[in-house]
Each structure stands twice: as structure tokens, then as C-alpha cells.
């Protein structure tokens, strides 16, 4: 009798492993979409009423497609377990409306179960599901919870509309009475099953990468433009783009989200299939230093040295994992009401950019500074590319940035390993 019970237990465990995708031929997983996670600030958190019996529908825009997918849930900054009673995916009817095509609604499983509990500080993968998705297509993810803690993990700068509604609405065709927010919660990425030579490029940055100034629900950040261009070239159609930008993020200090080095392992090294990294970060370190008061030249030089040291750390750590590292020069920002950069600050930016451009540091360089600066006033953004705040590009600026990146950096002949 004991042997029979043992066999039944082993059989049950084997069934769970098969449901989770173990035991099959090795699948090549590549990240198709990602969002950097942080602790939601009070102004970006769910309301007190939404902490109980609520459904959340979020729409994301994939870069590459595949016949199977799996979803990354995140409770990275939660202080208590996150229990979701159901997680569903579907194809949106109209991304900005919250409506889905109910015929495409599928429940995700987690070790064969429909509900999932994500431990505090953890991320959780769904079981793989056969759900063909096309490159550059939208995907709706809907979750329901009975009760959650007040601290939420998420991404405030979604530039996409999410929908919150009371009750279990995971399969609802429409979210008509929902509250709309431009935030993502509890959701860090989507992987797709891909060809063995497929790969992903991570864009690590601040609000300029996150897309401040982009159009809500239009997917016109510079990373979106790059993803579209990659799909238009037969040599790069298997290259995904993962946007790991956080508005207000810095290299050296925590602010909005952990500093770039603190999140490097999670946002750059951990995603599936990463072979290239674009680094566009440092303007907030320089700008916030200027906002803090007057400083000596020696203090400015020390700041620049620390920024360059942070870049060197990223390059060394990425190379250890066979990842090509591309440096992007910092855009001009004189005229910004937020930072009020003066001559000393502008000298810091120029010094950093000169290091980025110098051969022997990054594997390649994207000169966003040269592309976006006003030829007559090179310390300022070109007016036709300026969102109006003299710090962030407009949609036209993001189009120019994404359009200027050489696709040869990511094709079969790229220096990525």
C-alpha cells in the first residue's frame, strides 16, 4: 500500500512538472516585453477600496512574436505575499478601451493551478501556454485578487491605459465602469518561445527611455520605434526590445526606483535571451547634483568620475554574461526649468559624453547628443524634437532617436555574443 501511495505522489508531481513545462525538449525563451519594477509611490498606488476584490486589466505591446508565451508576475517590492485568484490573457479589441475579444480569453496556470501566491520580494513565472502572438501585437493581461497589501510593486510610467473594476472580471469582454490609470502593477515581462538565434536588447535608462513625452497608448517611445524597424529588416526580425527605463532613475543614488547598478542584475542579466544592452542614463545624476546647490570644480569632477565608474561596472558585468554594451550619449538639456543647468553642469555632460564616445569603453556608441542637439545652440535640444520642457524629446524626437540606431548592431553580424 505504501508503495502505491508513493507511486501516486510521484505521478502527481510529474504531472505538475509537465504542466509547468518541465520534461519537454528545451525551449528557447526570449523576452518580448518588459517593464522595470519599483515600489509604487503614494500618488501612483491603488486606492484603499481597490485593495479588496478587484480586477485589473493591463495592455502591453510585444516586440517579437512566437507560438507560446509565459508571463512574469512581480511582487519584488511587496512586504507580504501577493495572492492572485486568477490571471487571464486575451487579445484586446481596442487597446485604449479595455475591451477584449472573449474568444481569445485563456486562463494562465502556475504549476497547474489557476491561482498563485507570489512571495514577498519575488517574481513568479506562469506555466508556458500555447498562444500564438504576432510581432508588434498587443496583449491584455487581467488579474483578480480578493485582498492585497497596501505596498504595490509596479511601473508608474506605463504610457498605456490600465483598467480597474470591482469583482472578478478576468473574462469580462468589456471594462465599461472601470477606473483608468496610466500605470502597470505586478507585471514584469512576457517571454515568447523563439528560434534558437533569437535574442533581446535591453534599453536601460531614465524617463527618456521610459517615454516621458510619448503619446499614451500609441507605443511611440524610441524603443518602440527601434522594435518596429527591427521587424522591417529580415536580418533582425528575431531581435526583441525590452524597455527597462524608469522615470527619474539615477546611476548613483536611489530615487524613483532603485539606482541603475542596484537593478542591473534583475533588469539586464535576468531577462531571457539578452545579448545586447543600450545604456542611456546619467542625466538625472548630473541634473540633481546641480539642483542641490553650488559645488566646486573638484566636486563636479568627483561626480563625473563616479558616473564613469558606474558605466565601467555595467560594461564589466554585462561582458561576463556575453552581452554587448552600447553607450548612448546624454541629450542636451539647457533651458530645462527642472534642472536649470549652468556652465559647470554642461561641462559635466560634455565630459561624460566624451568618455562614452572614446573607443575602448563601450562596444559601440549611439550619439543621441549629436542627433538631437540644436546646431546653433548645441547645449539645447533641437526645437523640432523638443517636447517643450527642453529635457524630454517629443514623439518626433523619439522617432528620430529610434530611427537613427544602426540595425547592424543587432543583426547576425553584430558584436554581441
Amino acid at each position: 500500500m505504501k508503495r502505491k501511495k508513493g507511486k501516486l505522489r510521484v505521478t502527481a508531481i510529474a504531472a505538475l512538472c509537465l504542466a509547468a513545462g518541465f520534461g519537454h525538449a528545451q525551449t528557447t525563451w526570449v523576452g518580448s516585453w518588459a517593464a522595470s519594477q519599483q515600489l509604487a509611490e503614494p500618488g501612483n498606488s491603488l486606492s484603499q477600496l481597490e485593495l479588496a476584490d478587484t480586477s485589473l486589466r493591463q495592455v502591453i505591446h510585444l516586440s517579437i512574436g512566437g507560438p507560446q508565451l509565459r508571463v512574469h508576475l512581480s511582487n519584488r517590492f511587496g512586504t507580504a505575499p501577493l495572492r492572485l485568484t486568477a490571471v487571464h490573457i486575451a487579445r484586446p479589441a481596442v487597446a485604449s478601451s479595455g475591451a477584449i475579444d472573449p474568444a481569445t480569453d485563456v486562463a494562465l496556470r502556475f504549476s497547474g493551478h489557476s491561482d498563485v501566491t507570489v512571495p514577498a520580494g519575488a517574481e513568479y513565472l506562469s506555466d508556458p501556454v500555447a498562444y500564438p502572438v504576432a510581432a508588434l501585437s498587443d496583449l491584455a493581461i487581467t488579474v483578480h485578487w480578493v485582498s492585497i497589501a497596501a505596498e504595490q510593486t509596479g511601473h508608474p510610467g506605463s504610457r498605456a491605459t490600465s483598467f480597474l473594476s470591482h469583482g472578478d472580471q478576468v473574462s469580462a469582454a468589456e471594462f465599461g465602469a472601470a477606473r483608468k490609470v496610466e500605470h502597470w502593477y505586478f507585471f514584469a515581462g512576457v517571454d515568447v518561445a523563439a528560434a534558437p538565434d533569437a535574442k533581446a536588447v535591453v534599453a536601460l535608462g531614465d524617463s527618456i527611455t521610459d517615454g516621458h513625452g510619448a503619446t499614451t497608448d500609441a507605443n511611440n517611445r524610441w524603443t518602440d520605434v527601434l522594435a518596429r524597424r527591427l521587424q522591417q529588416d529580415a536580418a533582425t526580425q528575431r531581435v526583441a526590445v525590452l524597455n527597462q527605463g524608469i522615470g527619474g532613475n539615477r546611476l548613483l543614488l536611489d530615487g524613483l526606483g532603485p539606482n541603475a547598478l542596484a537593478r542591473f542584475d534583475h533588469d539586464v542579466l535576468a531577462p531571457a535571451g539578452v545579448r545586447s544592452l543600450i545604456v542611456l542614463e546619467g542625466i538625472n545624476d548630473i541634473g540633481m547634483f546641480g539642483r542641490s546647490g553650488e559645488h566646486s570644480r573638484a566636486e563636479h569632477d568627483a561626480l563625473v568620475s563616479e558616473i564613469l565608474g558606474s558605466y565601467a561596472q555595467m560594461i564589466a558585468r554585462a561582458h561576463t554574461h556575453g552581452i554587448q554594451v552600447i553607450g548612448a550619449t546624454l541629450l542636451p538639456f539647457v533651458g530645462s526649468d527642472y534642472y536649470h543647468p549652468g556652465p559647470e553642469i554642461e561641462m559635466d555632460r560634455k565630459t561624460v559624453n566624451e568618455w562614452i564616445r572614446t573607443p575602448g569603453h563601450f562596444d559601440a556608441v549611439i550619439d543621441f547628443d549629436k542627433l538631437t542637439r540644436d546646431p546653433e545652440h548645441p547645449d539645447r535640444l533641437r526645437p523640432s524634437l523638443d517636447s517643450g520642457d527642453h529635457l524630454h524629446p517629443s514623439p518626433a524626437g523619439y522617432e528620430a532617436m529610434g530611427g537613427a540606431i544602426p540595425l547592424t548592431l543587432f543583426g547576425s553580424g553584430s558584436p554581441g555574443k
Side-chain angles (χ1 to χ4, degrees), residues 211-232:
H212 184 96
T215 310
T216 300
D217 297 320
N219 300 307
N220 57 5
R221 313 163 190 83
W222 68 262
T223 53
D224 298 315
V225 176
L226 174 60
R228 287 199 299 271
R229 291 182 59 229
L230 289 166
Q231 287 302 309
Q232 292 165 1

Side-chain angles (χ1 to χ4, degrees), residues 393-407:
S394 63
Y398 289 131
E399 184 73 31
M401 290 171 67
I405 300 171
L407 300 188

Side-chain angles (χ1 to χ4, degrees), residues 6-24 109-113 127-128:
K7 286 181 179 179
L8 287 172
R9 185 165 180 266
V10 170
T11 301
I13 293 173
L16 287 175
C17 289
L18 287 172
F22 304 120
H24 296 295
R109 299 283 174 175
F110 301 84
S111 298
H113 301 288
D127 299 344

Side-chain angles (χ1 to χ4, degrees), residues 72-354:
H72 294 248
L73 301 177
S74 181
N75 191 24
R76 186 179 173 197
F77 296 93
T79 57
L82 169 68
R83 182 174 181 273
L84 303 176
T85 64
V87 182
H88 281 223
I89 57 174
R91 291 188 173 87
V94 179
S96 59
S97 73
I100 61 167
D101 176 358
T104 67
D105 178 64
V106 170
L108 294 181
R109 299 283 174 175
F110 301 84
S111 298
H113 301 288
S114 59
D115 63 333
V116 59
T117 299
V118 185
E123 188 170 289
Y124 218 92
L125 270 175
S126 74
D127 299 344
V129 58
Y131 195 94
V133 289
L136 307 179
S137 63
D138 292 332
L139 184 70
I141 299 96
T142 311
V143 302
H144 173 259
W145 57 80
V146 173
S147 177
I148 59 172
E151 298 84 13
Q152 296 115 39
T153 295
H155 185 87
S158 64
R159 324 296 171 203
T161 307
S162 298
F163 306 85
L164 289 150
S165 185
H166 186 70
D168 187 345
Q169 306 273 350
V170 291
S171 294
E174 297 186 13
F175 260 40
R179 182 170 81 93
K180 299 180 181 181
V181 295
E182 289 186 28
H183 314 305
W184 287 313
Y185 300 95
F186 312 125
F187 181 45
V190 175
D191 299 338
V192 297
D197 62 343
K199 54 193 173 184
V201 51
V202 166
L204 184 72
D206 47 45
S207 56
I208 294 174
T209 297
D210 200 20
H212 184 96
T215 310
T216 300
D217 297 320
N219 300 307
N220 57 5
R221 313 163 190 83
W222 68 262
T223 53
D224 298 315
V225 176
L226 174 60
R228 287 199 299 271
R229 291 182 59 229
L230 289 166
Q231 287 302 309
Q232 292 165 1
D233 190 317
T236 56
Q237 287 179 339
R238 292 173 177 172
V239 181
V241 179
L242 305 180
N243 187 324
Q244 300 283 30
I246 294 179
N249 200 234
R250 288 189 262 178
L251 290 166
L252 305 175
L253 295 172
D254 290 348
L256 294 178
N259 68 76
L261 282 181
R263 64 189 182 95
F264 193 83
D265 285 11
H266 191 277
D267 290 355
V268 177
L269 303 183
V274 176
R275 292 294 176 267
S276 297
L277 165 66
I278 301 172
V279 179
L280 176 57
E281 187 137 23
I283 204 70
N284 289 320
D285 296 83
I286 294 172
M288 290 302 292
F289 187 71
R291 278 176 64 98
S292 65
E294 295 294 326
H295 300 279
S296 68
R297 187 63 247 170
E299 291 173 312
H300 280 275
D301 290 343
L303 170 71
V304 169
S305 179
E306 290 182 12
I307 289 173
L308 303 184
S310 181
Y311 290 156
Q313 285 288 309
M314 292 182 182
I315 293 167
R317 290 164 67 178
H319 282 174
T320 299
H321 292 266
I323 296 173
Q324 168 199 23
V325 192
I326 303 163
T329 53
L330 304 181
L331 282 62
F333 66 122
V334 165
S336 162
D337 289 338
Y338 186 70
Y339 282 138
H340 303 288
E344 294 290 332
I345 291 295
E346 176 62 7
M347 186 180 296
D348 294 342
R349 186 185 71 89
K350 288 182 176 179
T351 302
V352 168
N353 280 348
E354 189 60 32

